[in-house]
Amino acid sequence: MITMIKDKGLMIKELIENCKLKIVNCQKGYTLVELLAVLIILVSVGVVITAILVTSLRGGNKSNTTNDVRQNGNHILSQMSKMIAYSKSFDGVSIDGTQNSYVKDCTAAQMSPTAYKYIKITSFDSGITTFSCTGATIASNGADLIDTNTLSVSSCNFYCSQTNNISPVSINVTFTLSKKNSGFFVESQTTIPFDTTITPRNN
């Protein structure tokens, strides 16, 4: 009887050990291939998210740069247009800005338009204003109309035309404004052309 109980006890003990062994064997870890697959997926998702964020930031920077250049250019055109249109008199355009080089008769420009660099007007308070576009800036009586630290002007010209001696003069202002010191990033490089035609009311 005692022997039977011992045998049963041994049998039970062996069964318990076998079950423990099976449970231990069933608890397998992740294989290297599975870990690599998960890592690749995480890296891929990270790259996609980073690309979306970078694209969004670059697009915002491009938009800000373009708006900045456009606002400055439109401000210059608006200021010049008002002063020229409402001036007391149109005193001529010049290529080099010397005292006796200003031309008021623009009838010849109908055949061959001349690119001028200076335009002179007199306001109703008898003040004389000379707009110039030489170098990398546009100036009014020598004072820059743009922030030359951040912006530069290229291909700036004034044109004047007139059908005959008694018809009003038309002044065309054209220039290109660029972001200065923009670096190598495309989104920081912006160049915008500006163009307007003004007719002085009292010429």
Side-chain angles (χ1 to χ4, degrees):
M1 184 76 171
I2 294 171
T3 306
M4 286 180 63
I5 291 172
K6 284 182 179 179
D7 289 342
K8 284 185 179 178
L10 287 172
M11 288 175 57
I12 292 171
K13 191 175 181 181
E14 285 178 17
L15 284 173
I16 291 172
E17 292 295 330
N18 286 338
C19 285
K20 283 182 180 178
L21 187 62
K22 286 180 181 177
I23 291 170
V24 170
N25 288 339
C26 289
Q27 294 177 346
K28 295 190 298 182
Y30 293 107
T31 64
L32 183 60
V33 174
E34 289 171 333
L35 290 173
L36 286 174
V38 171
L39 186 62
I40 289 169
I41 291 170
L42 290 175
V43 169
S44 300
V45 171
V47 167
V48 170
I49 291 172
T50 302
I52 291 171
L53 288 174
V54 169
T55 302
S56 176
L57 291 172
R58 290 177 67 179
N61 190 22
K62 177 71 172 179
S63 178
N64 290 337
T65 302
T66 302
N67 287 338
D68 184 42
V69 173
R70 184 172 284 117
Q71 284 177 1
N72 278 275
N74 288 336
H75 176 70
I76 293 169
L77 284 183
S78 174
Q79 188 174 354
M80 293 178 68
S81 296
K82 287 177 183 176
M83 291 184 73
I84 294 171
Y86 297 103
S87 62
K88 182 179 180 181
S89 65
F90 165 67
D91 300 330
V93 286
S94 170
I95 295 174
D96 57 14
T98 55
Q99 186 65 30
N100 298 318
S101 64
Y102 283 88
V103 178
K104 293 181 71 174
D105 182 7
C106 297
T107 53
Q110 292 294 111
M111 300 300 293
S112 57
T114 302
Y116 296 98
K117 295 296 182 181
Y118 297 84
I119 180 170
K120 186 186 287 186
I121 58 170
T122 300
S123 59
F124 279 95
D125 62 0
S126 298
I128 296 174
T129 302
T130 302
F131 292 108
S132 61
C133 54
T134 56
T137 188
I138 298 177
S140 172
N141 289 343
D144 294 326
L145 295 177
I146 64 168
D147 181 2
T148 55
N149 293 321
T150 59
L151 299 169
S152 64
V153 177
S154 60
S155 65
C156 176
N157 293 298
F158 301 122
Y159 298 91
C160 78
S161 60
Q162 192 174 13
T163 306
N164 52 55
N165 290 330
I166 59 172
S167 64
V169 173
S170 290
I171 307 297
N172 179 249
V173 180
T174 177
F175 61 89
T176 302
L177 202 58
S178 303
K179 188 74 173 176
K180 203 173 182 181
N181 301 325
S182 55
F184 298 103
F185 296 106
V186 176
E187 65 273 8
S188 299
Q189 300 173 357
T190 301
T191 300
I192 301 176
F194 295 89
D195 186 287
T196 190
T197 301
I198 312 154
T199 301
R201 298 189 176 188
N202 300 293
N203 61 321

